[in-house]
Amino acid sequence: MDNATDPRNPAGIRVGDIYEDCSFHPVLCTEIDDDGGVVLSGISLIDGTLPRSCDAQHCAPIRIPVEDVMAIKNDLKRYASQRLAELGAVAREAQ
């Protein structure tokens, strides 16, 4: 499956990519289940928890550059607050 053009996976995330999950954890994608929807699964690069799973379309995961992972890990709370503010601004603009 070519995830780059699949509307069920708008970010085009593939196995091996690092993405932000619903809890703002950077996650190393280890599996993609594409039966019906597209479910991304992987391991948190914050605390090693697994499986971390997100719906590629409805959770709106984004790719994270590997260079940003350590900064996020060092202050996940600040990163999550920043991302919530960004998402809130986007939602307000859409109204």
Side-chain angles (χ1 to χ4, degrees):
M1 179 171 88
D2 182 3
N3 289 335
T5 60
D6 188 338
R8 299 171 306 157
N9 185 1
I13 295 170
R14 295 187 172 125
V15 171
D17 287 345
I18 298 171
Y19 68 91
E20 175 188 283
D21 75 356
C22 299
S23 298
F24 304 106
H25 280 225
V27 174
L28 175 63
C29 183
T30 59
E31 181 180 357
I32 298 176
D33 179 2
D34 64 356
D35 288 339
V38 174
V39 177
L40 308 172
S41 295
I43 183 169
S44 168
L45 298 178
I46 297 293
D47 61 13
T49 53
L50 67 118
R52 305 287 295 205
S53 297
C54 280
D55 181 294
Q57 184 175 17
H58 300 290
C59 295
I62 60 170
R63 286 184 185 173
I64 297 176
V66 69
E67 298 84 12
D68 294 350
V69 172
M70 286 309 294
I72 296 168
K73 182 174 175 65
N74 288 333
D75 196 350
L76 179 61
K77 191 173 189 175
R78 183 187 65 69
Y79 176 76
S81 293
Q82 176 185 347
R83 287 291 293 137
L84 282 170
E86 290 170 4
L87 293 172
V90 169
R92 286 188 297 276
E93 287 178 13
Q95 293 178 345

